[in-house]
Amino acid sequence: MKHEKWEAICSRCGLCCHEKVVLDDMVVIDPDKACEFYDEDTKSCRVYEDRFSYCDRCRKINLKMAMFSPILPPTCSYVRWAEQKGLRFAKKRELVLGNLD
Ligand code: SF4
Ligand code: SF4
């Protein structure tokens, strides 16, 4: 798939730019703890083109992640895309928004 088409799948929900942890059958994401480069107003990354050099924790969302990553929330457009194609193999987990302090 072309880069632009792949990028367009993202709904820009911003959930993957927040602190998160996988606990059994849940993905817990802290809505109050975003990456320092995440802009809450525009719901986008302030350094998107160079994000991997700015942020060690930033991960490219590729096909492998869409298929296998436990850390992507079930609402992520890539997870849904992979499910629709029969390509999602990670355990189904519930999204829980909570404080991770
Ligand atoms: S650097 Fe990565 S994790 Fe941080 S806001 Fe940008 S895309 Fe999200
Ligand atoms: S969780 Fe998925 S849909 Fe939401 S911003 Fe991240 S990659 Fe895009």
Side-chain angles (χ1 to χ4, degrees):
M1 185 187 295
K2 283 209 167 118
H3 176 72
E4 297 76 25
K5 214 170 163 188
W6 179 255
E7 292 275 300
I9 292 174
C10 177
S11 65
R12 310 283 190 264
C13 71
L15 286 174
C16 62
C17 300
H18 289 72
E19 290 296 321
K20 48 203 162 310
V21 68
V22 173
L23 293 173
D24 299 326
D25 54 357
M26 295 181 292
V27 182
V28 184
I29 296 182
D30 190 332
D32 295 325
K33 279 213 186 85
C35 168
E36 60 269 45
F37 301 109
Y38 184 71
D39 186 325
E40 296 280 357
D41 294 332
T42 62
K43 303 240 180 293
S44 61
C45 175
R46 285 186 278 106
V47 294
Y48 192 73
E49 294 305 322
D50 302 309
R51 60 196 185 282
F52 306 121
S53 53
Y54 278 95
C55 180
D56 288 343
R57 288 168 293 134
C58 193
R59 291 286 169 271
K60 191 174 181 64
I61 311 294
N62 54 21
L63 177 60
K64 194 172 161 196
M65 281 194 76
M67 291 168 77
F68 299 110
S69 175
I71 209 80
L72 287 177
T75 53
C76 172
S77 313
Y78 290 105
V79 170
R80 290 191 163 148
W81 175 87
E83 283 172 347
Q84 281 164 12
K85 303 258 180 224
L87 292 172
R88 179 73 182 163
F89 302 106
K91 180 178 174 180
K92 266 192 181 289
R93 290 185 167 86
E94 182 191 354
L95 168 63
V96 176
L97 299 177
N99 189 317
L100 286 175
D101 279 335

